[in-house]
Amino acid sequence: MGSLAFPLFLFPKLGFVTTAFLVGTINICAALLILFKYHKYIKNSKRVSFFAGIVFCMLVFFLIMGEKLTVSVEKGLYRDDVIYSEQTLYQKIIMTKHKDDLRLFLDGNVQFSSKDEYRYHEALVQVPFLYAENSKRVLILGGGTGWQPGKC
């Protein structure tokens, strides 16, 4: 059940950090339950229960603070200011801004920068331009917003 719940429900709704702390909390609860039920058969069960209780309290604290922790970690991962952050069903979307440069990151990987994204789009339009009979009137669908006539 856990292997289905993680990618289908937990990760898309809670994000990576909060989901990790939730799963850890569930695991430590299972350990505490086992310790409670079988304490007679476990050496140093009181000491182990004490440390498991401390770990449980820490995990609950981080579970509650998971969103703030995620924001803090994201700010440290990206050199520019994070202006947009969203976890979708499929990927983590981050947009950063520094002066007039916008950057889009998907799952931590840069997808484009407004400073140099014309290079990506230029490569997409060169082949159609080579084969177009009249390169003054060419329609490129899905080419993005970065390509401008005259930059090729």
Side-chain angles (χ1 to χ4, degrees):
M1 285 179 45
S3 62
L4 289 175
F6 183 85
L8 296 176
F9 303 109
L10 299 175
F11 180 67
K13 299 290 184 201
L14 301 176
F16 185 74
V17 173
T18 305
T19 299
F21 287 125
L22 177 64
V23 170
T25 304
I26 292 169
N27 286 333
I28 201 72
C29 285
L32 286 168
L33 183 64
I34 291 168
L35 283 167
F36 178 74
K37 179 113 172 124
Y38 298 104
H39 69 280
K40 294 181 230 174
Y41 307 105
I42 299 173
K43 283 186 178 181
N44 300 320
S45 65
K46 288 184 180 183
R47 182 183 299 168
V48 173
S49 296
F50 174 75
F51 286 115
I54 290 174
V55 170
F56 173 78
C57 292
M58 289 171 50
L59 284 171
V60 168
F61 172 77
F62 285 121
L63 179 62
I64 293 167
M65 301 300 290
E67 187 65 32
K68 289 182 180 180
L69 182 63
T70 301
V71 169
S72 176
V73 168
E74 283 176 354
K75 285 183 180 180
L77 290 176
Y78 301 98
R79 70 176 191 197
D80 302 327
D81 294 333
V82 175
I83 60 171
Y84 180 77
S85 175
E86 181 181 346
Q87 175 64 55
T88 70
L89 292 173
Y90 306 104
Q91 61 200 357
K92 178 72 173 184
I93 302 169
I94 302 284
M95 181 150 304
T96 65
K97 182 174 182 168
H98 178 72
K99 296 183 183 177
D100 62 342
D101 183 25
L102 290 172
R103 292 184 182 197
L104 173 68
F105 294 85
L106 299 178
D107 292 329
N109 299 307
V110 68
Q111 296 300 303
F112 78 84
S113 166
S114 60
K115 290 279 191 187
D116 65 358
E117 58 86 27
Y118 67 89
R119 295 176 187 168
Y120 169 78
H121 292 101
E122 183 176 340
L124 291 176
V125 300
Q126 290 300 327
V127 173
F129 266 96
L130 288 173
Y131 292 101
E133 292 179 23
N134 181 1
S135 63
K136 293 184 192 248
R137 290 193 55 152
V138 176
L139 173 63
I140 299 174
L141 299 174
T145 59
W147 182 79
Q148 298 171 0
K151 282 211 170 186
C152 292

